[in-house]
Amino acid sequence: MKITRNGAVTALPGCSGGGPLVSHLDRFATFLASEGYAATTVHVKCTLVAELSLWLKRHKVPLAKLDDQGLQQFHVGRRRRGVAQRGDVATTQQLLTFLRGIGCARVVSPPIDRSAVGKLTRDFEQFLRSERGLSPSTLINYLPIVRRFLTERFPGKTLRVAQLCPQDLHHFILGQVQRVSRTYAKLTVTALRSFLRFLLQRGAINTNLAAAVPGVAHWRLSHLPKSLPPEQVERLLEFCDRDTPVGQRDYAILLLLARLGLRAGEVVEMNLEDLDWEAGEILVRGKGQRLARLPLPREVGAALAHYLRHVRPMCSTRRVFIRSRAPQHGFASPVAVCDVVRRALQRAGLNPEFKGAHLLRHSLATELLRRGASLDEIGQLLRHQQPTTTQIYAKVDIVALRRIAPPWPGSAS
């Protein structure tokens, strides 16, 4: 096989037998090259596609009918012959997505749940999306909880939500809290309350059952925010390997977290048009789809400019930060940003109890408070919607707290 600089296939041994995929090999190879795959990887993937093409020809499967079931049969045969390789399934799925994108393979819609539970869940999803304006990640969290509740309450029965009572809610929540984390238990309560308000609004229930949903004990200000002292934050940045492209990208990410207190999801969602170089501002896409503009510090702007000019690959996505490995897309989730922080902590020899991206957000707020910033100013920088959210940082000033704390009964005066 010979591949040109742009990844096009000019010759592929073993493809003389043809098959319905032969005419698409060159275009698929060019697509893979545009996604950042190395020429050797493109060769391996296209060789597999050529084999699939011959398989389709032998089994008289037209390209328009190629689907996931057909790919599964192809891989079963390869495993039986002992020639299957790691990554083969991913390659054929990538091919199928590519073929559907150019209209050469049918797009199979996911099966629709026609049950009463499925219909009510879809109505609730539409309500959250259109009337509440909630993000897709919130929908992913809420909908399985509501579906589980309805399935457990009406197992194989007619869905009669008008019969719901507080005991049903208590029974479900008590069962949940015994097997999930406290954070997920709180999410369960929030999702149920939202669902019950939806039912009340559409007239499916006559009583505000949301008020009957018990809360989960998780005191808002019961802990100290986890943070790093300033010298450790600087050590974290100093040990970032800025001699490598990945290190230069990670350095820009860490500065956004440490100097502006951005959340991991806000870094992931950042687009090229969000950087206003003339005004020296950055548009932050925050929680609840709220937008905010923050000044872009010189240090952060310099790191971003260097990354964009010298490191970021040319690709179709508008996301600022791109994966280091092919396919060259934006980060899939905030977990990738948390991984950047964890790797940086390990390089710097730091081992705090909490290692997520929020560690640097807490560290920034804590240091600002120690420098004399007010809670209102910290809340504005962190874009808190409620003043009570910022109050947790009042607890980090231990010296001031000791001055106002009453003496322990029986202690020496």
Side-chain angles (χ1 to χ4, degrees), residues 74-96:
F74 168 69
H75 290 297
V76 167
R78 298 188 84 248
R79 283 193 289 269
R80 287 174 180 171
R81 299 196 309 272
V83 297
Q85 298 291 329
R86 180 180 180 183
D88 287 352
V89 173
T91 294
T92 53
Q93 284 294 332
Q94 194 174 31
L95 170 71
L96 188 57

Side-chain angles (χ1 to χ4, degrees), residues 34-317:
S34 70
E35 291 282 279
Y37 288 99
T40 53
T41 304
V42 176
H43 181 285
V44 171
K45 287 178 175 289
C46 287
T47 301
L48 177 66
V49 173
E51 183 181 342
L52 173 61
S53 183
L54 294 175
W55 183 88
L56 293 173
K57 181 180 179 181
R58 287 196 304 269
H59 290 79
K60 299 180 180 180
V61 178
L63 189 57
K65 292 188 177 181
L66 179 61
D67 56 14
D68 295 284
Q69 185 176 358
L71 292 179
Q72 184 178 3
Q73 294 174 359
F74 168 69
H75 290 297
V76 167
R78 298 188 84 248
R79 283 193 289 269
R80 287 174 180 171
R81 299 196 309 272
V83 297
Q85 298 291 329
R86 180 180 180 183
D88 287 352
V89 173
T91 294
T92 53
Q93 284 294 332
Q94 194 174 31
L95 170 71
L96 188 57
T97 301
F98 168 78
L99 292 173
R100 287 170 175 168
I102 62 176
C104 293
R106 62 178 178 176
V107 178
V108 180
S109 301
I112 299 176
D113 183 357
R114 303 291 183 180
S115 67
V117 170
K119 183 179 185 306
L120 184 57
T121 305
R122 286 195 301 275
D123 291 344
F124 179 52
E125 177 183 6
Q126 181 63 28
F127 166 78
L128 295 177
R129 192 188 306 275
S130 61
E131 298 190 32
R132 295 285 309 282
L134 298 186
S135 65
S137 60
T138 303
L139 300 182
I140 292 173
N141 289 329
Y142 280 17
L143 297 179
I145 294 172
V146 170
R147 177 180 290 276
R148 191 180 309 119
F149 168 67
L150 293 173
T151 304
E152 290 186 11
R153 175 59 182 84
F154 304 100
K157 304 177 183 177
T158 303
L159 192 63
R160 294 190 175 96
V161 293
Q163 297 179 355
L164 290 174
C165 62
Q167 289 76 12
D168 298 327
L169 305 171
H170 297 170
H171 177 75
F172 178 75
I173 292 173
L174 286 175
Q176 291 290 298
V177 297
Q178 294 175 4
R179 61 185 182 86
V180 300
S181 67
R182 186 157 300 186
T183 299
Y184 193 80
K186 285 188 62 181
L187 177 65
T188 299
V189 168
T190 304
L192 281 181
R193 286 174 177 164
S194 180
F195 177 64
L196 293 168
R197 285 191 289 267
F198 158 73
L199 292 179
L200 182 65
Q201 179 177 322
R202 67 182 292 176
I205 58 176
N206 298 321
T207 307
N208 183 16
L209 291 176
V213 177
V216 177
H218 189 63
W219 310 122
R220 188 178 183 85
L221 302 178
S222 62
H223 66 284
L224 285 171
K226 306 296 188 297
S227 63
L228 295 175
E231 61 273 11
Q232 291 188 4
V233 173
E234 297 308 313
R235 177 180 175 87
L236 183 79
L237 296 170
E238 180 184 350
F239 273 76
C240 204
D241 186 6
R242 297 164 65 184
D243 292 330
T244 65
V246 173
Q248 293 163 16
R249 181 202 65 187
D250 291 355
Y251 181 69
I253 291 174
L254 292 170
L255 280 177
L256 286 168
L257 300 173
R259 302 296 192 242
L260 291 176
L262 265 59
R263 302 177 179 94
E266 294 166 348
V267 173
V268 171
E269 295 292 333
M270 189 180 300
N271 294 327
L272 294 174
E273 53 268 22
D274 296 337
L275 300 171
D276 189 339
W277 298 105
E278 293 185 1
E281 293 180 341
I282 181 172
L283 179 67
V284 179
R285 303 174 185 272
K287 295 174 66 175
Q289 300 181 352
R290 289 185 289 267
L291 303 179
R293 291 191 175 274
L294 294 179
L296 189 61
R298 182 182 298 273
E299 179 187 19
V300 181
L304 280 171
H306 177 84
Y307 165 71
L308 294 174
R309 293 180 61 186
H310 304 292
V311 177
R312 185 183 183 276
M314 296 290 294
C315 52
S316 59
T317 180

